[in-house]
Amino acid sequence: MEWELLASLSDDDRRALLTACRRQRFPRKGFVFHEGDPGDSLHLIASGSAAVRVTNPMGEVATLDVLGPGQSFGEQALVDPDARRSATVVALEKLETLRLAGKDFEELCRRHPQAHRALTALLEARLRATSHALMDALYLSADKRVVRQLHRLAGIYGPGDEVVVPLTQDDLASMAGTTRQTVNKVLRAAEDAGLVVLTRGRITVTDAEGLARRAR
């Protein structure tokens, strides 16, 4: 497995960082951590997928993002040793991560100063993603945001002739920043066009290329 955030490191620094990690496994629907927990570690996803969720002021749970192999979460632990988790992360399927404790990262950087590049790359990637999400929210219609989110999710769970995305329409609505009614309308239109098949609690993408064209 390759992680983009490690691309800027030398082979020696990359090996040292990965050696400092501890492999962890979580069952489907298992919690990696909860919102408000101490932020003591970064997780690199080796296999499976995870949902990032928060509880809004009305007590409702919203899905902010879904992450897959090659991605990471929990980077705030490497920036602030007193950080608290700003969201809950739960495994959507069997999940395997490489866990890097904040204290181990500090020790690693003393021996390998260039390891700080990984954190810089991660923060830059997070800033780019936030900027893109803001631009989408400002300038794209809700319908287009739904399709683009579904296309991105199909990339996480694909490839294949039929890609099953194990998320509900409520999950997709919160990720796209719209209502469930809008998501249902968009998905019904996509189903009529032969792009997806809708079943309870999941969406099956049957025409990834057609979905990609609609997402442009």
Side-chain angles (χ1 to χ4, degrees), residues 112-132:
H112 298 264
Q114 297 304 314
H116 271 296
R117 290 181 178 176
L119 178 57
T120 301
L122 180 56
L123 295 176
E124 288 177 346
R126 195 69 75 206
L127 180 59
R128 286 196 303 272
T130 301
S131 296
H132 290 160

Side-chain angles (χ1 to χ4, degrees), residues 42-100:
L42 166 76
H43 288 262
L44 308 175
I45 300 179
S47 64
S49 60
V52 181
R53 292 174 172 153
V54 296
T55 302
N56 67 25
M58 294 178 290
E60 299 168 337
V61 176
T63 299
L64 297 182
D65 204 357
V66 171
L67 304 172
Q71 296 181 287
S72 59
F73 56 87
E75 66 277 2
Q76 191 174 357
L78 306 186
V79 179
D80 180 5
D82 298 319
R84 292 280 171 174
R85 300 298 190 188
S86 59
T88 294
V89 175
V90 59
L92 293 174
E93 55 189 327
K94 287 184 178 179
L95 177 70
E96 183 173 307
T97 73
L98 299 183
R99 177 181 178 274
L100 177 61

Side-chain angles (χ1 to χ4, degrees), residues 133-147:
L134 178 59
M135 292 294 287
D136 284 355
L138 289 174
Y139 297 109
L140 292 182
S141 68
D143 290 14
K144 181 68 75 173
R145 294 199 304 273
V146 171
V147 173

Side-chain angles (χ1 to χ4, degrees), residues 104-118:
D104 291 335
F105 182 69
E106 291 178 3
E107 176 60 28
L108 174 70
C109 289
R110 281 193 284 270
R111 293 183 286 108
H112 298 264
Q114 297 304 314
H116 271 296
R117 290 181 178 176

